[in-house]
Amino acid sequence: MDLRAWLLDAHADLRSRLDAQVVRHVPMERWHEQADGGGSSTSSLLLHLARHHDLALSTAIRNKAPLYLEHAPALGLAALPPGTGLAEAEDRAATTVVDPQALLAYVDATFESSKRWLQRLSAMALETIPDTPRRLEQKALLDPAQLGWLFDMWTGRTVNWFVQWPILGHAQSHLGEAVSVRNRLGLSPF
């Protein structure tokens, strides 16, 4: 099997399941709710998975500013630090104000960008190790003193790792969590 085709299939499946299992079943007016009075909200999970996906592709791999920086004003997050949404724990100051329509637009833009990149992917590129710390600081405006865990985790990693974990695996993990939130909100279609 062709590696590019496999990655594109995995990427398309992830996007499709996100739409079919979460976006279509959780009304946007409920995206800010925390199931059971705690845990993560749908807005938190979507923002978080898009932030990691975007940062991995746009910044770590492609050496560009993350799409987040241009979407932050529409999201209602322009006044917050550039690391907003990256931590695993929900930041209610961010996720309760994020605009759901703008969030969906950011998720869509992130997935479209990665789809275009995967369509042109050369297998040789997968073994390269980008200068991630410099890119995170200069392109994403992230402070290593505030986000040391991210810099530590992402430094010295190959492009292959970024595709397998932040782009696909991490997002799959949070998709499962979002389905659980959907169910605990009483919105399971089953």
Side-chain angles (χ1 to χ4, degrees):
M1 173 176 222
D2 178 270
L3 176 61
R4 182 184 305 141
W6 186 89
L7 289 171
L8 281 164
D9 284 348
H11 182 268
D13 179 64
L14 172 63
R15 183 66 179 113
S16 173
R17 289 189 301 118
L18 186 61
D19 280 338
Q21 296 176 12
V22 178
V23 173
R24 291 187 193 151
H25 294 285
V26 181
M28 286 186 173
E29 60 269 13
R30 296 193 67 188
W31 281 18
H32 297 103
E33 283 182 48
Q34 292 177 300
D36 308 324
S40 298
S41 65
T42 302
S43 63
S44 172
L45 294 167
L46 292 178
L47 178 64
H48 179 72
L49 76 83
R51 286 298 326 267
H52 279 259
H53 188 132
D54 172 26
L55 193 60
L57 177 72
S58 300
T59 308
I61 295 172
R62 299 184 69 210
N63 196 24
K64 297 178 183 255
L67 297 171
Y68 173 78
L69 294 180
E70 66 186 63
H71 284 265
L75 289 164
L77 304 175
L80 296 177
T84 297
L86 290 173
E88 290 294 321
E90 179 167 355
D91 176 357
R92 294 294 288 167
T95 59
T96 57
V97 300
V98 73
D99 178 84
Q101 288 287 352
L103 179 54
L104 189 56
Y106 173 53
V107 170
D108 287 341
T110 298
F111 273 88
E112 275 305 307
S113 178
S114 55
K115 177 182 172 185
R116 285 190 308 274
W117 181 78
L118 286 168
Q119 288 170 333
R120 299 183 312 269
L121 176 65
S122 164
M124 291 183 350
L126 291 172
E127 295 309 313
T128 61
I129 298 174
D131 184 0
T132 305
R134 180 187 58 77
R135 293 174 181 189
L136 292 176
E137 276 190 83
Q138 293 180 2
K139 302 294 181 174
L141 311 176
L142 299 178
D143 182 350
Q146 293 176 347
L147 295 165
W149 61 268
L150 181 72
F151 281 77
D152 290 345
M153 185 186 311
W154 285 24
T155 297
R157 301 294 189 161
T158 62
V159 169
N160 180 40
W161 181 85
F162 285 106
V163 172
Q164 286 186 58
W165 180 239
I167 293 175
L168 295 174
H170 180 259
Q172 291 281 6
S173 174
H174 288 297
L175 168 61
E177 189 177 357
V179 169
S180 173
V181 168
R182 175 206 73 191
N183 292 345
R184 292 188 344 264
L185 288 172
L187 299 170
S188 174
F190 307 107

